[in-house]
């Protein structure tokens, strides 16, 4: 499937691949049809993380350039950083060279007059560093750029990778499942009695080395689940409503919290849950996401919602109709009973 | 925990006074301004007094930096509970008749006074709707309502801001997000000196007093459009 390669495709007008595990069927429609599939008493849960300008330029003491990518929000000035070579996003990840070896105690000069001191090394590609030298957040927002990849045609501006409700800058990359959700869609849903709840999940990098490190993704990620959201989820399930997760990050946050804590306990926590075929979903009933293909960790999570052959057939239809993958592309909805509610003439099934 | 208040044009005048008033009342505050020295003078003074004040340097007129401005503000001070769009420019001075106003000046006035505030509203209102509460205050002018010769560009930009405020309020009805447009009245500030160099200072309000009255009106739940002079509070 081709990637959407421009960042300014109009939001809310994307196409949507619908996968319905109830009938074992699938179709292509428009994302506006999402409203048909939801009714009063259902709950939509979104990730309100804003996207960081996570890509920073730096140099080692001997002048070797590096690209650093902030992997998640800092904890008391300890920043998780991915280390890449001194090229940039225009080079496909798998063609980039090994980054320079870094050691604890080493310092890197960052743009904006900052210095990063390596505290610990998790792998050749991942370090924990403290940053000093002035107003760190100001320098990050002035000199950092969004993380992006070689399928894009241009530099992506920070404003183009924010959802319609982006709040705390926790995400290394855009929680892009929500890109198609405009307020023109969300406000009428609210008025109809479909609930809208939020959590903040530190969506991580989707690629680091194009190889062995990528095979370990997603890494453990932090979530903050408000008590209000836990109450909304409990009330929804008690009332027979369904919980629609917008994004794999929301799915991971909620299912990971139950897996780790035994219950949906509010507050901040970390999840290392990997969802795959056969995983039991205890909180989430359906998923709105982007388009993903076998081999991606997101696709593996899809198989917790629907069987792989069904997903593959659906993807083939999407491909025939030139739906686009990646963050600026089209959408996938996996929700039991969804296709029974969308008018036939709004669907392409072949 | 009191809501975080973000104020644009916070390096002087009404903006600085509002920053101080909210900080002294216990709110975390973020001041935004173009010129770092003046902004830091105001913010650092509050921080020395142990108050939770933060500075974000930025130009609201620049469409390419809105996301970074808000991102930095939230990173430093948490989600924005109150946005006060106070930063404004007059455009070219001496203020010109509309037929004499330069194109570049009219564009700049609308970018700073109308579109900049709209972009900031877009960035903060979504999170406010998701949380079910929030307040957006847009500083207006009686030049938006009366038609004073030479105030045409500035007045039009404020009239447009008033219109956006009221329309957004209609669109967000029922969400818990409150919108307020405020005519603060004429104040003894640099902006007023630039506009009316020979004004009698005794006829102008002290921005510190105006800030206190505005905060009182906000806390009392004011919405829609209010004019502080018309509220008739003793100066």
């Amino acid at each position: 499937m081709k990637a959407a390669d421009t960042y300014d495709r109009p939001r809310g007008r994307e196409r949507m691949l619908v996968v319905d595990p109830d009938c074992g069927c699938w179709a292509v429609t428009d994302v506006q049809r999402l409203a048909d599939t939801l009714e009063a008493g259902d709950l939509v849960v979104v990730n309100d993380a804003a996207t960081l300008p996570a890509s920073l330029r730096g140099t080692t003491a001997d002048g070797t350039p590096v690209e650093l990518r902030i992997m998640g929000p800092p904890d008391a000035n300890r920043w998780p950083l991915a280390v890449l070579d001194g090229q940039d996003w225009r080079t496909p990840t798998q063609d980039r060279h090994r980054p320079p070896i870094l050691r604890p105690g080493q310092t890197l000069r960052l743009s904006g007059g900052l210095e990063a001191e390596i505290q610990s090394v998790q792998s050749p590609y991942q370090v924990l560093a403290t940053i000093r030298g002035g107003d760190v957040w100001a320098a990050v927002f002035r000199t950092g750029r969004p993380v992006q990849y070689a399928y894009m045609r241009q530099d992506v501006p920070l404003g183009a990778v924010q959802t319609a409700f982006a709040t705390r800058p926790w995400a290394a990359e855009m929680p892009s499942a929500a890109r198609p959700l405009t307020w023109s869609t969300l406000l009428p849903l609210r008025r109809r009695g479909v609930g809208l709840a939020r959590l903040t999940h530190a969506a991580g990098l989707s690629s680091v080395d194009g190889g062995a490190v990528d095979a370990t993704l997603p890494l453990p990620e932090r979530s903050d689940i408000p008590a209000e959201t836990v109450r909304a989820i409990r009330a929804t399930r008690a009332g027979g409503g369904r919980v629609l997760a917008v994004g794999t990050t929301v799915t991971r946050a909620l299912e990971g919290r139950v897996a780790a804590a035994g219950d949906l306990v509010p507050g901040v926590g970390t999840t290392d849950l990997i969802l795959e075929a056969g995983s039991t979903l205890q909180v989430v009933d359906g998923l709105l996401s982007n388009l993903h293909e076998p081999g991606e960790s997101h696709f593996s999570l899809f198989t917790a919602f629907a069987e792989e052959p069904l997903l593959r057939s659906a993807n083939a239809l999407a491909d025939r109709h030139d739906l686009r993958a990646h963050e600026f592309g089209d959408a996938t909805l996996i929700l039991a009973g969804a296709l029974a509610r969308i008018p036939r003439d709004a669907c392409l099934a072949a | 925990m009191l809501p975080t208040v973000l104020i644009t044009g916070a390096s002087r005048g009404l903006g600085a006074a509002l920053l101080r008033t909210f900080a002294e009342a216990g709110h975390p505050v973020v001041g935004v301004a173009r010129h770092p020295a003046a902004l830091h003078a105001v913010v650092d003074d509050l921080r020395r007094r142990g108050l939770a004040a933060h500075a974000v340097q930025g130009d609201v007129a620049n469409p390419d930096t809105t996301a970074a401005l808000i991102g930095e503000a939230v990173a430093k001070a948490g989600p924005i509970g109150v946005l006060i769009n106070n930063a404004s420019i007059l455009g070219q001075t001496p203020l010109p008749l509309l037929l004499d106003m330069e194109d570049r000046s009219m564009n700049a006035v609308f970018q700073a006074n109308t579109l900049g505030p709209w972009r900031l509203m877009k960035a903060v209102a979504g999170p406010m709707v998701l949380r079910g509460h929030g307040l957006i205050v847009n500083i207006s002018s009686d030049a938006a309502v009366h038609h004073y010769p030479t105030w045409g560009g500035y007045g039009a930009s404020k009239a447009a801001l008033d219109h956006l405020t009221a329309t957004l309020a209609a669109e967000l009805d029922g969400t818990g997000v409150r919108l307020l447009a405020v005519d603060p009245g004429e104040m003894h500030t640099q902006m007023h000196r630039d506009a009316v160099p020979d004004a009698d200072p005794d006829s102008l309000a002290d921005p510190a007093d105006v800030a206190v009255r505005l905060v009182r009106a906000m806390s009392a739940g004011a919405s829609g459009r209010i004019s502080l002079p018309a509220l008739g509070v003793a100066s």
Side-chain angles (χ1 to χ4, degrees), chain A residues 46-48 50 53 135-139 141-142 157-160 162 164-169 183 186-187 190-191 196-198 200 228, chain B residues 40 55 57 67-76 78-80 122-123 125-127 129-132 170-176:
Chain A
V46 299
N47 179 2
D48 69 2
D135 188 337
V136 178
W137 279 121
F141 278 96
R142 193 173 57 250
L158 188 61
Q162 308 302 339
F165 33 72
T167 314
R168 286 182 290 174
W183 287 106
L186 294 169
L187 288 175
R190 269 179 96 259
R191 286 187 196 112
L196 181 61
R198 62 181 179 91
T200 310
E228 194 179 20
Chain B
H40 282 286
Q57 183 191 354
L69 192 160
I70 290 291
E72 185 183 335
V74 177
K76 288 175 169 175
I80 308 301
K122 284 205 291 177
V129 172
L130 218 49
R131 283 163 163 72
E171 290 176 345
L172 297 185
D173 186 40
T175 63

Side-chain angles (χ1 to χ4, degrees), chain A residues 274-280 299-308:
Chain A
I274 307 283
L275 286 162
E276 52 203 0
S279 297
T280 309
F299 186 84
S300 180
L301 186 147
F302 280 16
T303 61
F305 288 85
E307 310 217 334
E308 180 155 344

Side-chain angles (χ1 to χ4, degrees), chain B residues 4 18 26 45 65 93 95 98 100 122 130 156 177 212:
Chain B
T4 296
L18 285 166
D45 177 63
T65 56
T93 51
L95 295 176
L98 280 170
D100 296 333
K122 284 205 291 177
L130 218 49
V177 181
V212 169

Side-chain angles (χ1 to χ4, degrees), chain B residues 113-138:
Chain B
N113 299 357
T114 313
L115 300 181
W118 168 65
R119 285 187 289 263
L120 288 177
M121 288 193 273
K122 284 205 291 177
V124 306
M128 289 175 174
V129 172
L130 218 49
R131 283 163 163 72
H133 48 82
L135 172 60
I136 295 172
V137 179
N138 292 327

Side-chain angles (χ1 to χ4, degrees), chain A residues 126-207:
Chain A
Q126 292 158 255
V127 300
L128 212 55
T130 51
I131 303 183
R132 56 171 185 253
D135 188 337
V136 178
W137 279 121
V140 167
F141 278 96
R142 193 173 57 250
T143 66
R145 298 206 50 87
V147 169
Q148 61 179 97
Y149 297 97
Y151 53 79
M152 293 304 296
R153 282 200 240 156
Q154 330 113 291
D155 284 316
V156 175
L158 188 61
V161 289
Q162 308 302 339
T163 62
F165 33 72
T167 314
R168 286 182 290 174
W170 277 31
E173 292 181 17
M174 184 184 187
S176 56
R179 187 180 183 276
L181 295 182
T182 61
W183 287 106
S184 302
T185 300
L186 294 169
L187 288 175
L189 280 178
R190 269 179 96 259
R191 286 187 196 112
R192 269 209 290 129
V194 176
L196 181 61
R198 62 181 179 91
L199 54 83
T200 310
H201 183 94
L205 297 174
S206 57
S207 182

Side-chain angles (χ1 to χ4, degrees), chain B residues 6-206:
Chain B
L6 189 153
I7 301 162
T8 65
S11 59
R12 59 185 208 196
L14 179 61
L18 285 166
L19 203 73
R20 290 185 194 107
T21 307
F22 275 107
E24 288 163 2
H27 292 262
V29 296
V30 181
V32 176
R34 288 171 293 176
H35 305 299
L39 176 62
H40 282 286
V42 177
V43 170
D44 290 350
D45 177 63
L46 294 169
R47 290 172 78 91
R48 271 193 297 271
R49 293 161 56 193
L51 301 173
H54 305 270
V56 171
Q57 183 191 354
D59 183 355
V60 305
N62 184 346
D64 298 328
T65 56
T66 307
L69 192 160
I70 290 291
E72 185 183 335
V74 177
K76 288 175 169 175
I80 308 301
V82 179
L83 168 67
I84 305 181
N85 277 312
N86 164 77
S88 308
I89 63 170
L90 290 170
Q92 68 195 82
T93 51
L95 295 176
L97 294 173
L98 280 170
L99 293 180
D100 296 333
M101 191 166 182
E102 291 161 3
D103 216 57
R104 189 173 52 185
S105 182
M106 184 67 88
N107 282 322
V109 164
F110 269 85
Q111 280 296 343
N113 299 357
T114 313
L115 300 181
W118 168 65
R119 285 187 289 263
L120 288 177
M121 288 193 273
K122 284 205 291 177
V124 306
M128 289 175 174
V129 172
L130 218 49
R131 283 163 163 72
H133 48 82
L135 172 60
I136 295 172
V137 179
N138 292 327
I139 303 299
S140 183
S141 168
D142 71 334
V145 175
H146 301 291
H147 308 108
Y148 307 120
T150 77
W151 287 85
Y154 179 84
S157 74
K158 291 300 192 180
L161 181 62
D162 285 347
H163 196 97
L164 291 176
T165 309
T167 305
L168 184 57
E171 290 176 345
L172 297 185
D173 186 40
T175 63
V177 181
R178 184 156 56 103
L179 278 291
L180 177 64
V182 181
D183 166 12
E186 292 186 83
M187 297 170 285
H188 187 17
T189 62
Q190 183 62 50
M191 177 179 252
H192 201 279
R193 276 193 292 279
D194 291 342
V196 191
D198 54 0
D200 172 13
D202 292 337
S203 70
L204 303 174
D206 181 347

